Amino acid sequence: MPTAPNRRAVAVILLIPLMVTLALWAFAWPAARIAPRDLPVGVAGPASAAQQLEQRFEQRDGAFDVHRFDDEAAARTAIEDRTVYGAVVVTPQGPHLLTASAASSVVSQLLREAVTASVPEDTPVRVTDVVAAPPGDPRGSALGASVLPLALAGMAAGAVVTLMGLRGARAAVTLIGSAALVGLAATAVAHSWLGALTGDWWTVAGVLALTVLAIGSAVAGLAALFGPRGIGLGALLMVLLGNPFSGVTSAPELLPEPVGAIGQWLPPGAGGSLLRSVAFFDGSAAGAAVLTLSLWTLFGLTAVLFARRAPTPAEPAEPAREPALTG
């Protein structure tokens, strides 16, 4: 009969390769399958010419979701409202491509290549970046790299609150306070120092704090419901899946289905999308992300405040109370 230490050793030997395989699948598979999938783009110009261009987009079945606009002004407004990632305006001088590198530099490059390939070789393609990425982060690398530190910060807050045995209002206040400080510190680095984020300083700080709070409270809430195993479940959702499924480094519409949609239902993806909206687009298309983060925060804090859980190794179990004597 194998002893308990031997069984634990075998479990560790099998668990580590399984976790590595899962991590490689979660991180490498979406990155290796990047391609447009119902990517919102716009077409504007005279009806006949715009229709021909729209048909060229639709020839790539399922790649683009084409929106028709009356003129260039309407197309620019749609880009600024985050309705489309870019638009092609048909003009007598040739196609005029409108992009938004602040929404995704990867999508901007993809649209440039697609439009250039769809016109004759001697036809010039004029490109205008309607909402450009900031000079401090022209490729959006810093924004994409910010998701994992935020996920780790929230993960750490939720785990520490659980392992230290904090409960109820004390745990909720700790989660809120730590998230607020992370938001201020991260904004000072990314906004004030690196210049990778623009927009209102305090609004950006609030978005970063809300993202960390949603992650941290969700992890602590899962631990309150399921014990220390909830920390592992939180790590799976927020770090192992939430980070690569967020689409922040490219775009959710470039990830394999349904990975892009799942990523937007998790706090890392919703936080990244909300950060783009408030940093570069004056808060346009921020409603869904705010709702997602708020629901995760509400779930986590409610569980922390009201759920009964087994004590962790860091806290002793409450002694049984003797029945009161009567009469």
Side-chain angles (χ1 to χ4, degrees), residues 7-72:
R7 288 196 297 269
R8 287 195 293 267
V10 172
V12 171
I13 291 173
L14 296 177
L15 182 61
I16 291 177
L18 177 62
M19 293 300 296
V20 170
T21 303
L22 180 60
L24 287 175
W25 168 80
F27 281 83
W29 172 58
R33 297 292 184 268
I34 286 181
R37 297 170 177 86
D38 288 328
L39 185 72
V41 297
V43 173
S48 58
Q51 184 176 6
Q52 294 178 0
L53 186 58
E54 182 178 355
Q55 291 174 351
R56 293 175 188 172
F57 275 117
E58 292 177 346
Q59 286 176 355
R60 299 180 61 177
D61 188 29
F64 297 99
D65 178 19
V66 183
H67 298 242
R68 288 286 294 273
F69 300 106
D70 294 334
D71 50 27
E72 180 178 336

Side-chain angles (χ1 to χ4, degrees), residues 59-132:
Q59 286 176 355
R60 299 180 61 177
D61 188 29
F64 297 99
D65 178 19
V66 183
H67 298 242
R68 288 286 294 273
F69 300 106
D70 294 334
D71 50 27
E72 180 178 336
R76 284 177 175 266
T77 301
I79 293 174
E80 293 168 352
D81 291 342
R82 300 199 72 185
T83 303
V84 295
Y85 281 90
V88 183
V89 182
V90 181
T91 68
Q93 295 77 26
H96 180 196
L97 175 60
L98 306 177
T99 63
S101 59
S104 173
S105 60
V106 176
V107 171
S108 297
Q109 182 63 30
L110 184 151
L111 290 178
R112 187 173 305 184
E113 294 173 356
V115 174
T116 302
S118 66
V119 299
E121 295 183 0
D122 57 346
T123 303
V125 177
R126 187 160 60 97
V127 180
T128 300
D129 200 346
V130 177
V131 186

Side-chain angles (χ1 to χ4, degrees), residues 214 217 289-301:
S217 59
V290 171
L291 178 61
T292 299
L293 294 174
S294 300
L295 290 177
W296 277 102
T297 301
L298 179 62
F299 154 75
L301 293 181

Side-chain angles (χ1 to χ4, degrees), residues 110-245:
L110 184 151
L111 290 178
R112 187 173 305 184
E113 294 173 356
V115 174
T116 302
S118 66
V119 299
E121 295 183 0
D122 57 346
T123 303
V125 177
R126 187 160 60 97
V127 180
T128 300
D129 200 346
V130 177
V131 186
D137 187 27
R139 294 180 176 83
S141 303
L143 178 63
S146 66
V147 173
L148 181 58
L150 294 177
L152 293 177
M155 182 71 209
V160 169
V161 164
T162 301
L163 297 177
M164 290 183 63
L166 300 179
R167 299 187 183 186
R170 186 179 289 107
V173 170
T174 302
L175 290 168
I176 295 172
S178 62
L181 290 178
V182 170
L184 294 175
T187 306
V189 173
H191 193 293
S192 302
W193 179 37
L194 297 178
L197 300 175
T198 57
D200 181 70
W201 198 97
W202 290 103
T203 304
V204 170
V207 169
L208 294 173
L210 179 60
T211 303
V212 175
L213 178 60
I215 297 171
S217 59
V219 172
L222 290 171
L225 293 172
F226 304 110
R229 289 174 296 181
I231 298 177
L233 179 58
L236 175 66
L237 290 174
M238 303 302 165
V239 179
L240 201 57
L241 297 181
N243 183 53
F245 288 10

